[in-house]
């Protein structure tokens, strides 16, 4: 179980955590920056597709480990009080953060699917889809950032 927690909960040092708290958030930030090229050139390169697959892998690794941890009864650190009612990060426990963590993770999966649709030109004209690609990848980055943030910091309802 400790190994699953290590994989699932890996975070960068606090100096880097302002822009990307986790490797997944970093991968989505790179994907956002990279998506500007296809939007401007109206074509998707192989390297972008490879990075998109790496981002999928970095989504599924913590996703699967998170499911295994949840099935064993664990919740996100910001929702789990330790001695004295504080979390392992020293903040007040906020149980509502557990469902928020799941919500943002679900948004990440849904957004990755939408990005696949935009890149492949399904349901939306290919050129229009590529113009929307930076918007979708920016949303993905925001959700990936929030996945890490809600796992650490309490929300507006700590202790309830």
């Amino acid at each position: 179980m400790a190994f699953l927690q290590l994989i699932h909960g890996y975070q960068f040092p606090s100096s880097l955590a302002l822009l990307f708290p986790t490797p997944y958030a970093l991968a989505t930030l790179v994907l956002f920056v990279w998506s500007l090229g296809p939007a401007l050139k109206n074509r998707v390169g192989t390297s972008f597709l490879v990075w998109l697959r790496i981002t999928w892998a970095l989504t599924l690794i913590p996703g699967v480990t998170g499911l295994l941890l949840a099935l064993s009864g664990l919740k996100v650190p910001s929702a789990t009080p330790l001695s004295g009612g504080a979390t392992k990060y020293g903040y007040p426990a906020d149980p509502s953060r557990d469902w928020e963590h799941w919500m943002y993770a679900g948004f990440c999966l849904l957004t990755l699917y939408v990005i696949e649709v935009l890149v492949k030109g399904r349901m939306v004209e290919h050129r229009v889809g590529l113009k929307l690609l930076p918007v979708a990848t920016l949303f993905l980055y925001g959700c990936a950032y929030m996945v890490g943030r809600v796992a650490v910091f309490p929300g507006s309802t700590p202790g309830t």
Side-chain angles (χ1 to χ4, degrees):
M1 201 56 59
F3 180 68
L4 290 178
Q5 286 177 318
L6 179 69
I7 292 172
H8 183 76
Y10 181 78
Q11 295 179 337
F12 289 127
S14 61
S15 61
L16 297 174
L18 292 175
L19 278 177
F20 40 87
T22 62
Y24 178 52
L26 175 59
T28 58
L29 180 61
V30 170
L31 190 71
F32 163 65
V33 171
W34 212 324
S35 71
L36 297 173
L40 295 172
K41 294 179 185 176
N42 282 328
R43 67 178 183 81
V44 178
T46 306
S47 56
F48 179 82
L49 293 175
V50 168
W51 192 257
L52 181 59
R53 300 304 174 261
I54 290 170
T55 305
W56 267 107
L58 288 172
T59 303
L60 295 177
I61 290 170
V64 170
T65 57
L67 281 173
L68 293 172
L69 290 169
L71 290 174
S72 70
L74 297 177
K75 297 186 180 303
V76 297
S78 63
T80 308
L82 299 175
S83 62
T87 65
K88 78 176 194 177
Y89 298 108
Y91 298 109
D94 186 356
S96 68
R97 292 306 234 182
D98 196 51
W99 76 266
E100 285 184 67
H101 190 70
W102 285 99
M103 176 190 68
Y104 285 118
F107 281 156
C108 287
L109 286 171
L110 182 63
T111 306
L112 276 170
Y113 175 74
V114 168
I115 290 170
E116 289 285 346
V117 168
L118 294 175
V119 166
K120 301 285 192 224
R122 298 180 187 144
M123 292 191 252
V124 177
E125 183 188 346
H126 195 246
R127 279 190 286 143
V128 173
L130 292 181
K131 297 291 182 203
L132 294 174
L133 195 58
V135 176
T137 56
L138 181 62
F139 181 76
L140 175 63
Y141 166 67
C143 290
Y145 180 83
M146 288 304 292
V147 164
R149 186 176 180 354
V150 300
V152 174
F153 298 109
S156 60
T157 59
T160 60

